[in-house]
Amino acid sequence: MAKTLIRSYPLGTFEPTIFERSDSVGGLWPVSPTTKGRLDPQMRVNISRYVIGFSDLAWDAIGETATLPSKGSGSATADNPHVPLFPKAWQAGLYLETYAKRYIPTDRIKLNCNVLAANLLPRGTWHISWSIQGIDTTRLPTYGSGSFDYLVLATGFFATPRRFESLLNPTCTIPFIHSSDLGPQSSRLFRSGSKLPGDKIVVVGGSLSGAEAAASIAFQVSSARWSPDTSSTESTTEVIHLASKPFWNVPHLLPDSFRSKDDSKGHKSFFPNDFGFYDIARRLPEPIVPRIGPLEPEHCKLVHGYLHSIVGSNQGELSQGLQMTEELRDRPPSLGISENYSTFSQNGDISFVRGTLTSISGTDNEAAILTYKTADDQTVSIPNVASVVMATGYSPQAALEPLSKETLSILSHDSTSDFYPLLLDAASTHHPSLPTLAFVGFYRGPFWGIMEMQARSIAARWIHGTEIADLPDRTSDAAMRSNQRDPLRLQQFPMRDVAGLSETFARGLGIQKTPSGLPEGRVGMAMPARYLDQGSDTEEADRTMDSFRRDVRDMSGTKYVAKVVFRTLLGRWQIHRRLDSKISSSPSGTFVGEASFHPRVPTDDAFDAEYLYVEDGVFTTDNGLQFNGTRRYVYRYQELCDTLSVWFVKVEENKSVDYFFHELRFTPRNEDSEPNRFRATSSHLCVEDLYTPSYEFTFKGTNLAEFVVEYVVKGPQKDYTSRTRYTRGVRQT
């Protein structure tokens, strides 16, 4: 908001003052990999860096003073901030800090400044009072006040975590934390020095934070069991996910077929989820208007159908509780975005339970009993609970405390609603009865680009009286106000329509959309760098667009295929291997068994993700002899180079990496390539023996349905071909 007021209008038109309660800008976003805050610094954002950003700051700007890592030199750090396609939370915080330093004079920002009251004066101006806490927190704060012509509430919607501590019996002493306190290596779920009583960790709350928290804990359990030199303290832990309704789960990268209306031809590459979600071409013909507010049943069914087509099923194969049955599809859908939640659920590493938490009881040093109500009002208990993670989101109510009761009354304040605490116009920026009060980003799931558009529309209204068509006032219509808060029609994110909002704001503000510059005249998606006003830095926007076009070009080939393949390997597979030897001393035969890819913390900082691969089964020679067989490898993924590699494991302890085996080289695709199928090759010379592996991966929707690995091995004492087929489901015979 402040940047728009300062740079989009003549000097002196606006003189904004920013009151920031913390000691840095960025709100809940941490600014380093180790910063403690309300978000795990290593958490990934849910959309690509082309949508999470502002119009005129390229993400590369946060790393301009650092040297980017070369292949094998390690992952991103504070001094080495390579920005991936889906940035981490600490990189988002660094981006905001960089943006503020570039565009906002430091004397405009009052840090450690807590606004105590904002009172409307008779002439429409505002009297603001505040306190300032110095660096020495042992000293009393100082106080100040002043009058301002306009007031903008830009606190965001996530003021305080919703913990529901009243549901915890005071005598119960198990760890009880909010998901915002949960880091990838959090020890809070386990008491130091001893195993917790109980063997169940329950995550409460659905969709985004619930999926992320449950998957994070499942990962920790796996890593504790399958990492070298770790105890098995957590190996028997069961992760239970309790939520009031099922949700669709999608990963970061989706098949390219879902970027268009015709998704029947299969897919040949992978693109970020927002490339499809916010593709303007899906909304043509123009004019495009936003789909915001409560959803009608027919529209709900359409959205459910689209998500079903992406996932590739109704999720019944994951668990019964996650299955999207027909009776659920006339209600607004909920969405989770997690790389591994679906596979963890399918493998039984996460057990989804549908219900509403009612109580947690227990006594000191004992496991707890968690009680919940089912959809049909039955009471069910979960015994032997070791800890509880509340993935129940945030409440915006604390952000409204400075406003007077009179002001809140005009805004139809509802202190019990965390979806619609206020009833504002369709743009969620103002109320017509309070023309000098405005809101930016005060709604669930705000996008930075839409907040930038909100800021532009607020300034244009104050200076020119500009109103945005197709975003009408809905505050005076009693029926519309009632519909907004109808719990059966509430969207998970009421302002989720990035394409519709971007296009509507742009029309109202006279902003011409920058051409996508994509091949074949493709329209492309709505992204902030395409919507520039008179105060935008066009060079920065051009950098973003150039990077976007390069990524689209590379993703049309093999870029990120390794990332998607690596993600979808996780879990258990049934295997059937045929070995044909041309040397009589090495028997031919068939191997049948099970293989598992166990995720763990990478044992080398040069890699971003790692699996320990374990297979067990029975080998039957062609002459009828049988014996048990086992094999282990380590699979690694490096994001900077988008590479998937396989490594040998030390035989003596079966967990540590021994030495390099091979790296997969994915085959470039062309128009004749089979849809849904991706191939890779490699080679490895082991002394005098040449191993030539080839891979074939077949996808269904977002998931890997099956894959085949073939080795051709030739050497002085070896001449054989091994072909292994991996499938989910029942064991092959």
Side-chain angles (χ1 to χ4, degrees):
M1 184 75 220
K3 184 261 186 182
T4 297
L5 298 178
I6 293 170
R7 300 184 68 91
S8 296
Y9 291 88
L11 184 65
T13 304
F14 294 103
E15 297 182 355
T17 299
I18 300 172
F19 295 95
E20 171 57 56
R21 184 164 63 177
S22 68
D23 58 3
S24 64
V25 299
L28 52 76
W29 297 96
V31 294
S32 78
T34 57
T35 301
K36 291 184 178 180
R38 283 187 284 168
L39 289 178
D40 171 17
Q42 301 299 327
M43 180 195 76
R44 296 281 184 161
V45 301
N46 293 317
I47 52 179
S48 77
R49 65 183 196 166
Y50 297 113
V51 172
I52 184 170
F54 295 109
S55 64
D56 54 358
L57 184 68
W59 271 90
D60 294 339
I62 74 171
E64 287 177 334
T65 59
T67 302
L68 293 181
S70 59
K71 181 177 180 179
S73 66
S75 302
T77 65
D79 298 321
N80 193 9
H82 160 65
V83 182
L85 185 61
F86 290 84
K88 296 182 178 181
W90 71 267
Q91 293 170 319
L94 189 58
Y95 179 95
L96 293 173
E97 185 178 76
T98 304
Y99 188 83
K101 288 179 179 179
R102 178 166 298 193
Y103 292 121
I104 311 297
T106 55
D107 61 356
R108 292 291 177 189
I109 305 175
K110 293 182 178 292
L111 298 176
N112 299 302
C113 190
N114 183 34
V115 173
L116 303 174
N119 293 305
L120 181 63
L121 301 177
R123 291 185 297 176
T125 56
W126 294 85
H127 184 265
I128 310 297
S129 58
W130 61 85
S131 65
I132 301 176
Q133 180 65 60
I135 297 176
D136 184 357
T137 57
T138 62
R139 303 185 63 178
L140 293 175
T142 58
Y143 296 89
S145 64
S147 294
F148 298 84
D149 296 313
Y150 301 99
L151 173 63
V152 179
L153 198 72
T155 58
F157 213 67
F158 304 136
T160 54
R162 302 168 68 219
R163 298 182 185 275
F164 296 95
E165 292 174 328
S166 61
L167 300 177
L168 180 69
N169 189 304
T171 63
C172 185
T173 59
I174 66 168
F176 179 83
I177 68 172
H178 191 263
S179 57
S180 59
D181 299 321
L182 181 67
Q185 302 303 314
S186 174
S187 61
R188 300 188 187 190
L189 303 182
F190 303 91
R191 288 178 180 165
S192 176
S194 64
K195 187 178 185 297
L196 276 177
D199 59 5
K200 298 181 179 71
I201 299 176
V202 181
V203 176
V204 180
S207 59
L208 292 177
S209 57
E212 187 175 334
S216 175
I217 296 168
F219 171 81
Q220 291 181 55
V221 171
S222 174
S223 186
R225 182 176 183 182
W226 298 103
S227 293
D229 304 321
T230 58
S231 67
S232 59
T233 299
E234 299 165 77
S235 63
T236 60
T237 300
E238 181 181 357
V239 181
I240 298 175
H241 185 192
L242 175 66
S244 60
K245 63 178 182 179
F247 56 91
W248 295 102
N249 185 75
V250 300
H252 287 147
L253 293 163
L254 302 180
D256 64 335
S257 55
F258 298 109
R259 291 188 299 143
S260 66
K261 291 183 178 180
D262 181 9
D263 55 13
S264 62
K265 298 180 180 179
H267 48 280
K268 296 184 177 181
S269 56
F270 295 91
F271 285 78
N273 50 38
D274 47 21
F275 280 35
F277 291 162
Y278 312 131
D279 188 359
I280 298 172
R282 298 186 69 92
R283 304 289 296 279
L284 297 176
E286 296 180 330
I288 299 171
V289 296
R291 298 165 178 167
I292 57 179
L295 287 183
E296 297 296 335
E298 288 307 311
H299 191 197
C300 292
K301 292 177 181 178
L302 290 174
V303 179
H304 276 289
Y306 174 62
L307 294 172
H308 185 144
S309 68
I310 291 176
V311 173
S313 72
N314 66 3
Q315 300 187 146
E317 78 284 1
L318 304 183
S319 77
Q320 184 178 356
L322 284 169
Q323 184 173 350
M324 286 293 180
T325 56
E326 288 302 316
E327 60 267 23
L328 294 170
R329 299 197 180 200
D330 61 353
R331 303 281 181 86
S334 290
L335 180 69
I337 298 178
S338 169
E339 292 291 80
N340 297 321
Y341 181 89
S342 293
T343 310
F344 277 135
S345 297
Q346 186 175 31
N347 290 332
D349 300 315
I350 297 173
S351 300
F352 181 85
V353 176
R354 186 180 177 189
T356 303
L357 175 65
T358 55
S359 68
I360 306 168
S361 59
T363 57
D364 191 21
N365 295 320
E366 290 187 0
I369 298 174
L370 183 146
T371 304
Y372 66 92
K373 283 282 186 73
T374 64
D376 56 358
D377 208 34
Q378 299 296 310
T379 299
V380 180
S381 295
I382 300 175
N384 216 32
V385 174
S387 51
V388 175
V389 177
M390 301 298 289
T392 42
Y394 292 80
S395 170
Q397 298 293 340
L400 301 172
E401 291 176 357
L403 299 179
S404 68
K405 291 182 179 180
E406 293 77 13
T407 298
L408 291 173
S409 177
I410 294 172
L411 296 169
S412 301
H413 176 232
D414 182 350
S415 61
T416 66
S417 175
D418 289 333
F419 268 81
Y420 281 109
L422 307 177
L423 293 185
L424 305 175
D425 70 318
S428 288
T429 57
H430 81 291
H431 191 287
S433 298
L434 297 168
T436 57
L437 173 64
F439 296 82
V440 171
F442 197 74
Y443 59 91
R444 283 172 58 89
F447 292 86
W448 296 352
I450 301 303
M451 287 191 280
E452 189 173 29
M453 286 294 206
Q454 286 182 316
R456 291 165 176 170
S457 71
I458 291 166
R461 184 186 305 114
W462 285 343
I463 294 298
H464 306 297
T466 303
E467 296 292 339
I468 305 298
D470 299 317
L471 290 175
D473 171 33
R474 59 189 178 190
T475 58
S476 59
D477 187 320
M480 191 173 291
R481 293 202 307 270
S482 176
N483 286 339
Q484 253 187 288
R485 287 173 170 163
D486 182 353
L488 298 181
R489 298 174 60 197
L490 285 175
Q491 292 194 61
Q492 181 183 11
F493 301 110
M495 301 274 286
R496 66 180 174 81
D497 188 359
V498 171
L501 286 167
S502 298
E503 290 289 289
T504 301
F505 274 117
R507 282 196 307 273
L509 296 169
I511 293 175
Q512 295 296 314
K513 180 171 70 260
T514 301
S516 69
L518 298 178
E520 303 171 357
R522 283 182 289 171
V523 178
M525 68 170 177
M527 50 190 286
R530 300 183 68 181
Y531 301 94
L532 309 179
D533 73 354
Q534 63 272 21
S536 298
D537 185 332
T538 57
E539 290 186 4
E540 283 293 310
D542 288 344
R543 290 176 64 187
T544 297
M545 293 304 299
D546 288 344
S547 175
F548 168 71
R549 292 168 189 132
R550 286 194 302 271
D551 252 347
V552 170
R553 178 198 64 203
D554 294 343
M555 284 185 281
S556 298
T558 61
K559 190 172 185 179
Y560 300 128
V561 173
K563 181 178 178 67
V564 175
V565 166
F566 184 88
R567 171 185 67 80
T568 54
L569 289 173
L570 185 149
R572 289 190 294 275
W573 297 86
Q574 303 306 320
I575 58 177
H576 183 279
R577 177 177 299 127
R578 176 64 194 173
L579 190 149
D580 290 303
S581 175
K582 296 180 180 180
I583 299 178
S584 58
S585 59
S586 298
S588 299
T590 301
F591 179 88
V592 177
E594 184 176 87
S596 296
F597 291 83
H598 300 286
R600 65 186 192 183
V601 175
T603 52
D604 186 330
D605 290 340
F607 298 91
D608 298 281
E610 183 172 298
Y611 293 126
L612 178 65
Y613 170 88
V614 179
E615 72 172 40
D616 294 287
V618 176
F619 182 72
T620 303
T621 65
D622 286 350
N623 59 10
L625 296 177
Q626 287 190 335
F627 52 88
N628 294 330
T630 186
R631 179 179 295 176
R632 295 193 177 199
Y633 295 115
V634 166
Y635 283 64
R636 287 168 160 173
Y637 176 73
Q638 189 179 51
E639 187 163 23
L640 179 62
C641 305
D642 189 39
T643 54
L644 195 167
S645 55
V646 186
W647 301 68
F648 288 108
V649 171
K650 292 180 180 178
V651 176
E652 57 270 22
E653 53 94 5
N654 280 334
K655 286 185 178 179
S656 297
V657 172
D658 195 356
Y659 58 94
F660 177 76
F661 187 6
H662 63 270
E663 182 176 287
L664 278 69
R665 298 187 297 271
F666 284 89
T667 305
R669 302 178 59 82
N670 54 49
E671 290 300 318
D672 297 325
S673 299
E674 295 177 80
N676 307 330
R677 189 164 293 171
F678 300 84
R679 291 185 170 87
T681 60
S682 191
S683 63
H684 171 77
L685 182 63
C686 182
V687 189
E688 296 180 305
D689 300 326
L690 179 63
Y691 290 74
T692 306
S694 61
Y695 295 78
E696 182 178 276
F697 302 95
T698 303
F699 281 80
K700 179 182 179 182
T702 60
N703 298 313
L704 187 59
E706 67 174 46
F707 66 102
V708 174
V709 181
E710 182 174 281
Y711 284 92
V712 176
V713 183
K714 292 186 179 294
Q717 302 298 321
K718 295 180 180 179
D719 188 358
Y720 68 86
T721 299
S722 167
R723 181 178 175 84
T724 308
R725 183 169 180 256
Y726 294 76
T727 58
R728 302 283 192 191
V730 297
R731 177 174 294 190
Q732 304 172 71
T733 58

